[in-house]
Amino acid sequence: MSDAVRNYVAGRWQDPSGTDTLSVTNPASGAELGRLVLSTSADVDAAVRAGREAYPMWRSTPAPERARVLFRLRQLLVDHKEELARLLTTEHGKVLPETRGEVQRGIENVEHASGIPTLMMGDTVEEIASGIDCASWRQPLGVFGIITPYNFPVMIPLWFWPYAIATGNTVVLKPSEQDPLTHQRIVELAEEAGLPAGVLNVVHGARECVEAICDHPDIVGVSFVGSSRVAEIVYRRATATGKRVQALGGAKNYMIVLPDADMQLAAEACAGSIFGSTGQRCLAGSVVVGVGPAHREIRERMLDAAGSIRLGDGLEDTTDMGPVISAAHRDRVRGFIDQGEADGAKLSLDGRGASVSGLEGGYWIGPTVFEDVSAEISIATEEVFGPVAGINRARDLDEAVAMMQASRYGNACSIFTTSGKAARDFRYRAGISMIGVNVGVAAPMAFFPFGGSKASFYGDLKAQGRDAVSFFTDQRVVISRW
Ligand code: NAD
């Protein structure tokens, strides 16, 4: 029996049928916030059935009416923004300005999906041959599975399900089992907004649920966000049963600083990118490369910035950086730092011993800086997903770009320069999907595609915007002669 986390299937809140349980904790204190019972494949099956049953009714609900439910949800999210942000800080750990920003990004996706009558329009061409016209319609496909990670538990589900339902599909959402409470509140608000039973179904759980979603014959497509290891598993497993899949994975993002950069701006942007959200962002910078004389200056400023960050409870105004999500993740990040040191990288700032007085049960890891990290060691090649910076030097932009391109990931990157030519050259050849020019976190807004390349992305259509509309619909083309 779960205290706080329940499945939502066919418009009813119900306990999962499994027996294994997990504790949802406040990462700043370690205090338990609720217990989650892991759902089984039978629970997934029940949710898919609910989605299938609701699909004909929802598909034939006019698009403007579907959009109106999202308009109402949008207003409820705005009205409850502060409540949602505080709850999110409590279960995730990131500081309030960050959780307010995350809720805002989620709202923007609901706003964008509310434009579905326009976004879903097809094309027509008259007289493609004598007396023959051609037209295309976008149609929904059925029940979609959506599987999301712990690091943006409000925003990332909203990259997908508002578009999936706006286009007339129904959904089975499997949120992260580590911080499911805030999105549960959002689903309550969706219910209050008048979303009919069975259109959005939520199943809480872990691997068994994910595998059941990938294998289920009545699910037509899967949207996934998480680590590259699981993204690849989900992509292979779900496409093997004929589903369309978009699977967003991990990252190792480079930030290149040229000698002509505004160094103050570059240092603030790099530090904000690396240490913001305690490094738990797929867009977080990981390696700063100072080119030529930029290296000495950016290095000093980065070390100053990292050394002045105040750790604490994200609900307090005085906190710059919260904890990481769990004790297991803290230990994993510490393990990367141990290994980096053992591999000979210079450890200039060590966050392993961090603690916060009065919050000794929290999952703390302080800002950490490595320098002169050689290319082949794990601190250089693996996604750490914690507040750990690498600072390297390059002779010129070519060498910096070569370092960046040696990574197997291709999510995001940034360049800091006052030269339009250098920035243009970088954009042209970066080969990476989300590019910041004098911007540390290159996060596309709701109306642009969000997703990476190389091992950061499996699939073709990305999250948000027009790609989302394409992913959740098929184009039916009609050629007519009368
Ligand atoms: P994760 O891969 O551990 O979990 C993601 C989802 O997969 C969760 O719902 C989880 O229950 C499920 N899962 C975990 N292990 C599984 C397994 N063995 N088999 C089947 N399902 C499994 O990721 P996380 O730790 O929750 O999130 C952090 C990761 O997500 C980082 O790698 C980060 O870069 C990535 N991420 C990527 C983006 C992007 O846009 N590319 C955005 C946010 C997060």
Side-chain angles (χ1 to χ4, degrees):
M1 174 80 185
S2 91
D3 297 330
V5 188
R6 308 185 89 196
N7 288 349
Y8 182 65
V9 176
R12 284 186 297 276
W13 294 95
Q14 51 192 242
D15 292 318
S17 68
T19 49
D20 294 342
T21 64
L22 289 178
S23 171
V24 179
T25 61
N26 179 341
S29 62
E32 184 169 289
L33 300 171
R35 289 199 73 75
L36 177 142
V37 178
L38 295 181
S39 300
T40 63
S41 55
D43 296 313
V44 171
D45 193 46
V48 176
R49 218 174 316 120
R52 264 189 58 157
E53 280 164 16
Y55 177 59
M57 168 280 298
W58 185 240
R59 186 198 159 178
S60 58
T61 300
E65 254 181 65
R66 296 198 302 258
R68 263 174 230 131
V69 176
L70 291 175
F71 285 141
R72 290 193 291 273
L73 172 62
R74 185 255 172 211
Q75 191 55 49
L76 287 167
L77 291 172
V78 170
D79 296 345
H80 291 267
K81 190 170 170 183
E82 190 62 17
E83 172 203 335
L84 293 166
R86 296 186 82 83
L87 181 55
L88 180 53
T89 291
T90 308
E91 69 169 331
H92 180 284
K94 59 182 130 178
V95 298
L96 262 180
E98 289 167 341
T99 55
R100 289 185 185 122
E102 174 172 352
V103 176
Q104 180 58 30
R105 285 293 174 123
I107 290 171
E108 285 161 9
N109 273 283
V110 176
E111 284 171 355
H112 188 50
S114 301
I116 206 65
T118 317
L119 293 173
M120 236 180 133
M121 279 179 182
D123 298 312
T124 55
V125 180
E126 198 180 43
E127 205 74 353
I128 52 158
S130 182
I132 297 182
D133 303 328
C134 188
S136 69
W137 272 263
R138 287 201 172 273
Q139 293 190 344
L141 292 159
V143 187
F144 277 84
I146 296 171
I147 301 158
T148 53
Y150 82 81
N151 69 324
F152 281 94
V154 165
M155 177 186 75
I156 291 182
L158 295 175
W159 280 353
F160 303 109
W161 72 253
Y163 299 95
I165 66 165
T167 46
N169 301 283
T170 58
V171 164
V172 174
L173 168 67
K174 206 257 358 128
S176 171
E177 65 278 27
Q178 300 195 70
D179 47 11
L181 297 172
T182 317
H183 214 86
Q184 172 157 285
R185 184 76 190 103
I186 289 175
V187 176
E188 288 171 5
L189 296 176
E191 190 178 31
E192 196 179 326
L195 193 64
V199 174
L200 172 64
N201 304 280
V202 185
V203 176
H204 293 286
R207 183 174 173 167
E208 181 177 342
C209 289
V210 172
E211 291 178 351
I213 288 171
C214 291
D215 296 344
H216 203 293
D218 293 330
I219 289 184
V220 296
V222 176
S223 302
F224 173 91
V225 182
S227 57
S228 289
R229 185 181 66 83
V230 184
E232 188 175 356
I233 293 170
V234 165
Y235 183 77
R236 290 186 190 286
R237 192 159 175 153
T239 51
T241 54
K243 297 175 177 58
R244 49 172 73 183
V245 182
Q246 46 180 189
L248 285 71
K252 188 86 188 170
N253 302 319
Y254 279 71
M255 317 183 81
I256 296 175
V257 183
L258 297 188
D260 64 2
D262 174 336
M263 287 297 163
Q264 184 60 23
L265 180 152
E268 280 170 16
C270 291
S273 178
I274 293 170
F275 302 116
S277 292
T278 324
Q280 300 166 103
R281 283 192 288 215
C282 69
L283 296 178
S286 180
V287 182
V288 177
V289 183
V291 172
H295 172 260
R296 191 181 52 79
E297 204 170 339
I298 194 71
R299 168 193 182 274
E300 276 170 21
R301 287 178 192 255
M302 284 293 297
L303 281 166
D304 280 353
S308 68
I309 289 172
R310 295 162 301 177
L311 247 62
D313 183 339
L315 292 175
E316 303 292 335
D317 290 342
T318 48
T319 300
D320 298 317
M321 193 172 97
V324 293
I325 188 70
S326 64
H329 189 54
R330 177 199 57 205
D331 295 345
R332 186 171 179 274
V333 176
R334 281 184 185 159
F336 273 116
I337 301 171
D338 293 344
Q339 191 60 47
E341 204 178 24
D343 289 339
K346 179 177 157 203
L347 184 55
S348 304
L349 187 66
D350 183 358
R352 284 175 294 189
S355 66
V356 174
S357 153
L359 292 170
E360 285 75 13
Y363 315 133
W364 304 109
I365 189 119
T368 297
V369 178
F370 278 105
E371 294 191 71
D372 301 326
V373 182
S374 56
E376 66 295 343
I377 66 174
S378 64
I379 204 84
T381 58
E382 302 300 314
E383 179 184 46
V384 176
F385 224 53
V388 179
I391 303 179
N392 275 0
R393 63 184 96 206
R395 275 187 313 277
D396 51 27
L397 181 57
D398 285 349
E399 191 185 25
V401 168
M403 284 178 184
M404 176 180 91
Q405 289 179 337
S407 170
R408 70 188 185 100
Y409 294 104
N411 213 45
C413 60
S414 296
I415 188 165
F416 294 88
T417 180
T418 48
S419 158
K421 182 176 184 310
R424 193 269 173 198
D425 179 42
F426 180 75
R427 168 180 66 73
Y428 181 74
R429 64 190 173 116
I432 285 175
S433 299
M434 294 177 276
I435 301 174
V437 177
N438 298 318
V439 166
V441 181
M445 299 285 284
F447 17 88
F448 284 98
F450 196 120
S453 36
K454 298 165 80 177
S456 297
F457 182 67
Y458 298 84
D460 16 67
L461 291 166
K462 297 187 174 173
Q464 305 189 144
R466 277 188 227 130
D467 271 27
V469 176
S470 296
F471 184 75
F472 292 117
T473 56
D474 195 26
Q475 294 203 70
R476 306 284 152 85
V477 180
V478 180
I479 298 134
S480 327
R481 171 166 48 204
W482 292 97

